[in-house]
Amino acid sequence: MVRRYLRLFGVQLKASTLQALQYRVDFFTEGFTSLCWTFTALAPLFVVYGGRPEVEGWSFGQALLVVGWFTLLQGILEGAINPSLTGVVEHIRKGTLDFVLLKPADAQFLVSTQRFLPWRAFNVLTGLGLFVYAFSLLGHGPSPLGLVTSLVLLCTSTLLLYSLWILTVSAAFFVVRVDNLTYLFSSIFDFARWPSSVFKGVARGALTLVFTYVIPLALMTTFPAEAMLGRLPMTSLVGAVVGSLVFSWVARRVWIRSIGHYTSASS
């Protein structure tokens, strides 16, 4: 079963890559544009740290690690998660989800892997480049344990992002148009470019609690950065793993129940 789905995933990825390479100029233009947006997004960081050695316990180099994680996850979100799941909304609206539900494979897997944008890999490479630059500023590299821990958190962060998108897309079975909801989620995700402790002065720390437990942005970028710096408590690591598994379980249950409200084009 696992080999079958891995082979199916490979076929879907190959089809998306070949489709993107049909227009090579567009492929490299989109990649260059992604790089420009990434470096433009660094401007607020330079403004905030202008003349300040650190903000809420984070130096410029340490905060750059958070931005690196944000950039890396943004590449995964916009290259692997968003394109496929945005297409689900169109399927539901037009009543063409029947073609997916009738195929002999799990519907959630099929709709989650139907389209990829390979040029967003530039964001992933840029995130890795930011890690190298940040550690050159800090004067030391991550510990082997920190690297292993951050790789575990990369898996949990990707699972959290995917689960949040499944929950968002599931709303389309009830309200059809969820464009504003997806835009709202993208805007909220922008807060993940900052260390979560930066928000502890807002509304008596309520925003930090929201970004840690309700919309777990801190688990996606701040925790991995702290793991790289070797200062993430083991309890936080366990909480991130358990939290991501709970989120994915809830998202799966919501998706299954939402399909029951689907009205096809032939109904």
Side-chain angles (χ1 to χ4, degrees), residues 165-212:
W165 257 103
I166 285 291
L167 290 172
T168 303
V169 167
S170 294
F173 287 98
F174 302 93
V175 295
V176 182
R177 295 195 65 88
V178 293
D179 303 44
N180 292 334
L181 205 57
T182 57
Y183 293 145
L184 175 64
F185 177 78
S186 300
S187 300
I188 291 176
F189 183 63
D190 276 343
F191 285 101
R193 73 176 71 242
W194 300 99
S196 59
S197 59
V198 169
F199 303 105
K200 71 180 184 182
V202 181
R204 298 181 179 180
L207 207 53
T208 301
L209 291 175
V210 169
F211 287 159
T212 302

Side-chain angles (χ1 to χ4, degrees), residues 152-153 155-157 159-160 163 212-213 216 219 223 234-250:
V152 173
L153 290 171
C155 297
T156 62
S157 301
L159 188 59
L160 282 170
S163 301
T212 302
Y213 300 106
L219 276 66
F223 281 23
M234 184 56 69
T235 51
S236 298
L237 174 62
V238 174
V241 173
V242 173
S244 64
L245 292 176
V246 170
F247 250 87
S248 64
W249 181 82
V250 171

Side-chain angles (χ1 to χ4, degrees), residues 49 53 58-66 130 133-135 137-138 229:
Y49 279 92
W58 289 79
S59 66
F60 177 76
Q62 293 168 342
L64 207 55
L65 287 176
V66 179
L130 287 175
Y133 180 57
F135 279 112
L137 292 177
L138 295 172
L229 294 169

Side-chain angles (χ1 to χ4, degrees), residues 73-236:
L73 289 176
Q74 192 177 39
I76 294 174
L77 174 66
E78 296 181 357
I81 299 176
N82 195 340
S84 294
L85 295 183
T86 302
V88 179
V89 180
E90 285 299 311
H91 277 307
I92 297 171
R93 187 180 304 163
K94 296 177 180 175
T96 55
L97 194 63
D98 313 47
F99 301 114
V100 177
L101 297 176
L102 291 174
K103 290 180 179 176
D106 183 77
Q108 184 178 340
F109 177 84
L110 288 176
V111 300
S112 301
T113 59
Q114 62 183 340
R115 189 181 177 218
F116 297 96
L117 299 180
W119 58 74
R120 290 298 178 182
F122 282 95
N123 283 49
V124 176
L125 296 176
T126 305
L128 296 177
L130 287 175
F131 292 154
V132 174
Y133 180 57
F135 279 112
S136 70
L137 292 177
L138 295 172
H140 63 83
S143 65
L145 179 61
L147 272 180
V148 173
T149 306
S150 59
L151 287 175
V152 173
L153 290 171
L154 173 60
C155 297
T156 62
S157 301
T158 305
L159 188 59
L160 282 170
L161 265 181
Y162 172 71
S163 301
L164 285 170
W165 257 103
I166 285 291
L167 290 172
T168 303
V169 167
S170 294
F173 287 98
F174 302 93
V175 295
V176 182
R177 295 195 65 88
V178 293
D179 303 44
N180 292 334
L181 205 57
T182 57
Y183 293 145
L184 175 64
F185 177 78
S186 300
S187 300
I188 291 176
F189 183 63
D190 276 343
F191 285 101
R193 73 176 71 242
W194 300 99
S196 59
S197 59
V198 169
F199 303 105
K200 71 180 184 182
V202 181
R204 298 181 179 180
L207 207 53
T208 301
L209 291 175
V210 169
F211 287 159
T212 302
Y213 300 106
V214 182
I215 307 172
L217 302 180
L219 276 66
M220 299 178 194
T221 56
T222 302
F223 281 23
E226 288 186 327
M228 279 183 152
L229 294 169
R231 63 188 195 192
L232 182 72
M234 184 56 69
T235 51
S236 298

